């Protein structure tokens, strides 16, 4: 393999740049040329492809976002779009790809490989940590720290005013972000999609705590919880306990940005190196991940269809710690 | 004056604790006893009053929120409530008050002084910076830095995805928070209550910029803007420019919390000292503030009825800098 | 077991408070009384022992340092000292201990158990991450993030002035802090005790890079490196390459403080719970740790005498990434 | 004026990039072309001069350091060097300069104007805040916040271990950084060049406090204090009070880097605009500054030879607040 391409796709995540840097420098270390494909599959189709050298990735290890930008591409979902993408890669003599993104990204890569034979190795780049095949995804640790920092600030007000705050954190269909935020933020209650917890239980818990003279509360709500988002939950609670001074904060998009944490930079660097070395060694249709501190390549098929379960022990922790 | 009380009232603000610390230590320095009144006027009525010494305020200069807590009191708006508050102060032999808060707080203090003769000196504690009689209020600098830090993170995503973000910041009826966020955050547009700026102008500005190939945008919206909040503005824009990928983030309550900035700790300390020394020197019904780096005492009447105008030059700056 | 004690000992580490909180609440959850022993073994000897309840540990999960304080005790190294400590525990009816600290702490606990039969379960609290029996120690992740944040700032100056910065980080006899700082900080070179790397190699690497027109450099030096500390290394380099503008920064004690990271709060909470539940289940002379995301109890003897080896792959990463 | 140049010189400071951005965009706003001169006078001599447009300064408002880099130039101190610099400016048709830096920078600019008639307007860019003609310099607020953040972390350890920490902050020959750090950091003592404070007084203060059972101490030492740096002061104190557990931390270069604070971005933007508009209006040999919130142009001669005095009230504040 003499020339590879790298791109980011799907929602941006802190550490994507650190991963791009690792991909570029590892390729160069192995004597392989490397090109950056802008805006994911969209730029691949349009031929927005640029040569990267070692200075292209200088001073980006600490930057949030992605220098290669990201976009969704409807066109790549069509055969015609993928044909155009393939033609662009052929024009640029690109023989293999490193795709930094999530399951949508890997699904596209699998289809592309099936039709055109271009091998791709994936890197798990998403704040949601919902990918099978790696303990942590790139961006997850940073997102949790950002959310927790916001929660620490909110607690200042909650304490000062004896209020209840319903704080909504990201995480799509999982409680991966919500749970460490609840444990680390000293929350009384956490609502996550993985576990049914009725509003009635929430109300009961709050009423019991109020009887014990507890006056300020923190309730963390994962955006995908089935009882609804933080506003819906807060309204139901306020209906049941009208004397409670309850507020809602949606932490939102700040969770996607900012300088990556140390753990995310390390993970992104490990995976970036592994992705290139995987390609060099003939791998395809696999995602590089770290499981129990060891490098593991998992077939895209598994990352897409297998579910990474959340540690059930964490739910018990919230209960014990809010005693 | 042998014994004074100190309390915080209204919305909490970073630096309130630094101010409480300065009040306590200055009182002790002058040989005056000092009591903390919990939960503002509400605790005054109920007699939630505790002796404070130098260690009561150790290690709080860097803490957000307020160790004296804050609350609104309907009862203090009645003559009966104020009578009870007065009785409590008499019981505790408290001869003067330092009130840390905003205009609601000062209005109560004026009324209270008129009826019962208890002198109060005020300290401007609010993130909104909307108080006449001081260049900056305690908590304002921190709130702006917190909002700006969030905006920096949001821009990572805006850039990576070529999106427009409509970011709503606090500030009640003023653009004091919004404007430095717009200048420091590199925003294209800022909407503030002080200046009429129609949606049509906003749309036009964005369309012009798009023609110049600009692809990501930051629009800062002050919560009190008359065109409506960030969501309303974003929806109007999306209607006019449907191809623009526009998102909304409401920064919300995190702006109230967190460790106070250096400037806020310094300001809070200066004002805490000045408030006590004002009381000692026989002042009443005035707020201690800093205007052009000099200590100034302004009658409550003026802080309440005079309007602090925003620097019009700042609006021009946003225009120039987004060229 | 009806009553236990908890203390912190050795250098303080961010997350110790989160661990104390977890110990207290878990004990209460299981109906066990819990006492805080101030200043480690020193306070145990003097009987500085206080009852803790659920509110004693409210609002500390996010605080650096340790509310139980820490100290070294010469006296506990004598039989007489330990006898006094034992008498104090008997007086307070304390039947078991949770010791948060490092190997010095655990060595004392083993000796104490041997002589007086008081069972102790340990929690690994040290920023150095040099304890066998757990992948990460409490405080390590925060210390690395703090050091890295400082390094990011230093790089601004290094880049602006085309300088070389020799940055010394903590870590006693290991490169656990230095290595992620080097990878995450984009350093050219890292010097750690685990690996011999002569000054000559350092000088050669820098001269090669200078020939490639590289103008700013970051060299991370672990405090325990055998070539000497950052100042010594920098002086040797300056002697060899006098035209290089080289500066030294010792990050120092700031690495021990600050709000714990999300990962440290989670780890501290897991381990605090596990330590109490270990005691309840009859364990003694073991440290609770997390290895490959699973709870593991390791005999004190092993934590003290077995060496936790650093991942050799990380050294190769620095080399590849500084291409 | 049709074309101007901008450069940064002297030690880098957070906010320099925000100032460069403002200079560039203001020039373009007024239809003036703008060139960036790399590495200060050194790059001017060598002709390292690049055209800047609006995108050259996109996304830098939040970045520490300076994209134009900075360097000291011995050669510019010679007539020959200045002649070469002038020739380069003539070649590039540059008719006026904006110089971002401190007194060394302005001294060079004055000499240059005298000999070659090229007008320069200065912008005060230094963390030291020691320039007459502006209340605050660009970078000062950020440096104080960075130092204070480090001090907050150090206090965690000081408290946990009952230690005294001697913390050295930057500031060349002034206490501008040290004083807000002392007030905002809750320090017991501050040593600054502006005020004689003998070691004996320091020792006495510490001994008095120890008698009052105070166990942890923070002493802030400005790097230019005449009693010597933090290490020297600490050693003298340890000699007098050997039982005190005293440590030294030199905060060092991290004070120069990092994202600029909100206040620094605003100030840098105001001054960048003012510098260009000053040039356009025919000014020369003046520095743009903000005094009492108003824009002021001060002759270079005054910024160099007049001394900006520190507020003496601040020293009294430290005394009162450490009661």
């Amino acid at each position: 393999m003499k020339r590879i391409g790298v791109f980011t796709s799907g929602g941006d995540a802190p550490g994507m740049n650190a991963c791009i840097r690792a991909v570029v420098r590892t390729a160069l270390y192995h004597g392989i040329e490397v090109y950056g494909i802008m805006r994911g599959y969209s730029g691949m189709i349009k031929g927005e492809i640029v040569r990267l050298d070692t200075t292209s990735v200088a001073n980006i290890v600490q930057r949030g976002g992605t220098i290669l930008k990201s976009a969704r591409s409807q066109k790549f979902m069509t055969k015609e779009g993928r044909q155009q993408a393939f033609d662009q890669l052929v024009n640029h003599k690109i023989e293999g790809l490193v795709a930094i993104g999530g399951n949508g990204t890997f699904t596209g890569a699998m289809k592309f490989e099936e039709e055109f034979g271009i091998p791709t190795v994936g890197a798990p780049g998403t704040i949601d940590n919902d990918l099978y095949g790696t303990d942590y995804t790139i961006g997850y640790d940073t997102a949790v720290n950002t959310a927790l920092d916001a929660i620490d600030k909110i607690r200042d007000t909650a304490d000062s005013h004896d209020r209840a705050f319903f704080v909504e954190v990201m995480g799509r269909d999982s409680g991966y972000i919500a749970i460490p935020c609840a444990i680390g933020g000293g929350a009384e209650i956490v609502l996550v999609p993985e576990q049914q917890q009725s509003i009635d239980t929430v109300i009961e818990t709050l009423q019991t705590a109020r009887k014990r003279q507890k006056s300020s509360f923190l309730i963390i709500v994962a955006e995908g919880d089935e009882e609804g988002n933080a506003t819906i939950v807060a309204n139901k609670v306020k209906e049941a306990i009208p004397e409670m001074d309850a507020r809602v904060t949606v932490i939102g998009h700040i969770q996607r940005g900012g300088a990556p944490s140390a753990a995310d930079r390390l993970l992104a660097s490990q995976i970036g190196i592994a992705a290139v070395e995987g390609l060099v060694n003939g791998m395809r249709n696999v995602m590089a991940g770290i499981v129990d501190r060891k490098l593991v390549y998992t077939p895209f098929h598994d990352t897409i269809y297998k579910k990474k379960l959340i540690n059930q022990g964490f739910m018990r922790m919230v209960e014990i710690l809010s005693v």
Side-chain angles (χ1 to χ4, degrees), chain A:
Chain A
M1 195 158 291
K2 289 188 181 154
R3 191 179 288 181
I4 64 171
V6 56
F7 63 96
T8 50
S9 174
D12 65 323
M16 280 185 161
N17 281 328
C19 191
I20 294 167
R21 169 180 176 262
V23 167
V24 170
R25 297 215 166 149
T26 307
L28 299 175
Y29 181 85
H30 288 293
I32 296 167
E33 289 177 4
V34 58
Y35 281 72
I37 300 163
M38 304 299 295
R39 295 180 180 77
Y41 294 119
S42 164
M44 199 186 291
I45 290 170
K46 294 184 194 156
E48 299 180 45
I49 298 174
V50 292
R51 176 81 177 265
L52 299 176
D53 62 20
T54 187
T55 58
S56 312
V57 293
N59 213 8
I60 66 165
V61 70
Q62 82 280 28
R63 300 264 153 84
T66 157
I67 61 165
L68 297 180
K69 301 208 171 191
S70 186
R72 300 187 193 282
S73 171
Q74 292 298 329
K75 208 170 179 186
F76 194 77
M77 296 187 190
T78 67
K79 183 71 192 281
E80 189 202 349
R82 290 190 295 274
Q83 178 70 53
Q84 290 175 18
F86 177 68
D87 294 344
Q88 293 286 2
L89 296 185
V90 169
N91 282 347
H92 286 84
K93 299 199 174 100
I94 291 169
E95 301 168 62
L97 295 169
V98 174
I100 307 169
N103 272 333
T105 312
F106 303 156
T107 306
M110 269 209 307
K111 186 83 184 159
F112 195 48
E113 193 269 350
E114 196 183 296
E115 293 171 352
F116 299 99
I118 297 274
T120 298
V121 174
T126 161
I127 63 165
D128 297 327
N129 199 32
D130 56 356
L131 281 174
Y132 181 88
T134 192
D135 290 342
Y136 305 109
T137 53
I138 298 165
Y140 169 66
D141 184 63
T142 307
V144 172
N145 276 292
T146 300
L148 197 49
D149 182 59
I151 289 167
D152 283 351
K153 289 184 166 70
I154 290 165
R155 190 168 37 198
D156 285 341
T157 294
D159 283 344
S160 297
H161 287 273
D162 294 338
R163 273 183 194 153
F165 268 92
F166 294 78
V167 182
E168 183 176 316
V169 298
M170 284 188 162
R172 279 211 312 195
D173 307 319
S174 97
Y176 273 110
I177 292 180
I179 282 176
C181 284
I183 292 171
E188 278 70 28
I189 296 169
V190 61
L191 294 174
V192 296
E194 285 90 345
Q195 178 160 353
Q196 296 242 5
Q197 194 168 10
S198 72
I199 281 288
D200 291 345
T201 317
V202 172
I203 292 166
E204 204 187 301
T205 306
L206 290 172
Q207 276 171 328
T208 308
R210 284 170 59 87
K211 280 183 198 137
R212 287 190 295 123
Q213 309 301 324
K214 193 151 174 42
S215 55
S216 74
F217 301 93
L218 211 50
I219 299 97
I220 309 295
V221 185
E223 61 180 347
D225 187 67
E226 59 192 17
E227 281 288 358
N229 62 26
T231 307
I232 294 169
V233 173
N235 285 339
K236 289 179 189 167
V237 168
K238 275 194 271 195
E239 216 168 275
I241 319 178
E243 64 279 20
M244 196 159 87
D245 186 359
R247 306 291 166 106
V248 173
T249 294
V250 179
I251 297 186
H253 274 88
I254 63 168
Q255 291 164 90
R256 295 204 167 279
S261 70
D264 270 331
R265 298 189 203 184
L266 187 61
L267 177 68
S269 301
Q270 286 180 285
I271 286 179
I273 293 173
V276 173
E277 300 194 335
L279 266 185
V280 169
N281 292 326
M283 289 181 180
R284 53 179 61 205
N285 283 337
V286 294
M287 180 191 84
I290 304 288
V291 175
D292 290 344
R293 295 175 301 140
K294 280 175 208 70
L295 177 61
V296 172
Y297 296 93
T298 302
F300 281 156
H301 193 275
D302 289 357
T303 73
I304 296 164
Y305 295 105
K306 288 196 179 170
K307 183 137 181 76
K308 182 161 72 173
L309 296 177
I310 215 158
N311 185 335
Q312 285 300 314
F314 289 146
M315 298 301 299
R316 183 176 168 256
M317 285 178 67
V318 178
E319 193 198 330
I320 292 177
L321 296 174
S322 63
V323 149

